[in-house]
Amino acid sequence: MKLLLVEDSARLSAALVAGFRGEGFAVDHAADGGAALEYLKLHEYDILVLDLMLPQVPGLEVLRALRRMPARTRVLVLSARDQIEDRVSALNLGADDYLLKPFDFAELKARVLALLRRHYGEISSKLVCGDLALDTNARVASSRGAPLPLTPKEYALLETLLRHRGRSFTRAALFERLYDGLSDASDRVIEVVISTLRAKLDKAGLPTLIETRRGFGYRVP
């Protein structure tokens, strides 16, 4: 899943980027509102975590600009501004949630995952496909109840395909979803992730889960 963090505190940003990347998210970071708008023009994000008090362009203006775009990005405002007027303004402009600073990362992560479920119209944190099950809260996969030892990228790729069953993703489209905007990797890394993921699924008795459609990409039917 792809997340944009817009926060001008270097210390807080470093901690949040590390935390979300450790959970398997592809994370971009903007330290001011102007940089945030550039990221939003270039990439489509599942989640935007947005501070309100930003250099250059205020957070509410970033939110207003985003809601003029066709993107369906879910927005969590993360702010020290605790007045009811601030929360009302953000929600009226299209924010989906509002969390006050200081906060605990566990709560922030839980709110982000809840927004992802809303984003994909899911009621439960479980994604099931035959004998395969994904717990999107714990970020773990299992086959017939036995855990699968997936890397964060393998899990993220599998979660993407399961959340869009029947839809084919090109190598480039998967790379956009799994890697941050400043990554120096080639999209050919997706072939490596697919190969190692398939080997683990095959070992777990799920050899035909991921299809390759020549000219279209990869999918879970």
Side-chain angles (χ1 to χ4, degrees):
M1 301 299 105
K2 202 172 185 75
L3 181 149
L4 176 62
L5 171 67
V6 187
E7 168 62 56
D8 62 339
S9 166
R11 183 176 179 180
L12 178 57
S13 296
L16 293 181
V17 168
F20 279 115
R21 284 181 177 163
E23 295 293 329
F25 282 80
V27 183
D28 287 325
H29 168 242
D32 60 71
L37 291 175
E38 290 304 311
Y39 271 114
L40 291 169
K41 291 174 185 176
L42 292 172
H43 306 285
E44 183 173 347
Y45 295 92
D46 296 295
I47 300 289
L48 169 62
V49 177
L50 178 67
D51 189 14
L52 294 185
M53 294 183 287
L54 296 169
Q56 294 191 22
V57 181
L60 289 180
E61 291 304 315
V62 173
L63 180 55
R64 183 178 283 110
L66 171 65
R67 291 311 185 214
R68 289 196 293 262
M69 300 176 184
R72 296 175 55 247
T73 305
R74 296 287 184 174
V75 178
L76 186 150
V77 170
L78 190 63
S79 178
R81 290 165 61 169
D82 61 356
Q83 297 300 306
I84 188 66
E85 293 84 358
D86 296 317
R87 283 175 278 179
V88 169
S89 295
L91 294 169
N92 283 342
L93 284 174
D96 298 283
D97 199 358
Y98 196 109
L99 181 61
L100 289 174
K101 298 176 181 178
F103 61 92
D104 187 271
F105 181 73
E107 181 180 4
L108 174 61
K109 184 182 80 168
R111 287 174 181 249
V112 164
L113 293 176
L115 288 181
L116 277 173
R117 289 195 298 274
R118 287 169 57 187
H119 183 71
Y120 290 104
E122 298 164 357
I123 299 173
S124 168
S125 63
K126 307 292 184 183
L127 295 176
V128 179
C129 179
D131 292 327
L132 176 70
L134 266 64
D135 184 331
T136 60
N137 280 348
R139 317 288 289 168
V140 295
S142 60
S143 175
R144 303 180 186 91
L148 294 175
L150 304 184
T151 67
K153 291 301 184 195
E154 290 167 351
Y155 173 87
L157 192 153
L158 186 56
E159 183 183 84
T160 296
L161 294 179
L162 283 182
R163 276 189 156 139
H164 300 273
R165 287 188 64 176
R167 174 179 168 184
S168 297
F169 285 86
T170 64
R171 188 176 67 196
L174 286 170
F175 182 83
E176 168 69 16
R177 285 175 172 271
L178 268 62
Y179 288 83
D180 62 69
L182 298 179
S183 173
D184 57 3
S186 160
D187 65 10
R188 289 190 176 277
V189 71
I190 295 299
E191 295 177 359
V192 177
V193 179
I194 286 282
S195 177
T196 57
L197 175 57
R198 277 177 165 160
K200 292 177 181 179
L201 293 173
D202 184 42
K203 187 175 180 180
L206 302 165
T208 60
L209 185 70
I210 300 175
E211 289 185 349
T212 300
R213 300 185 67 212
R214 188 172 299 276
F216 293 92
Y218 306 100
R219 72 169 186 169
V220 170

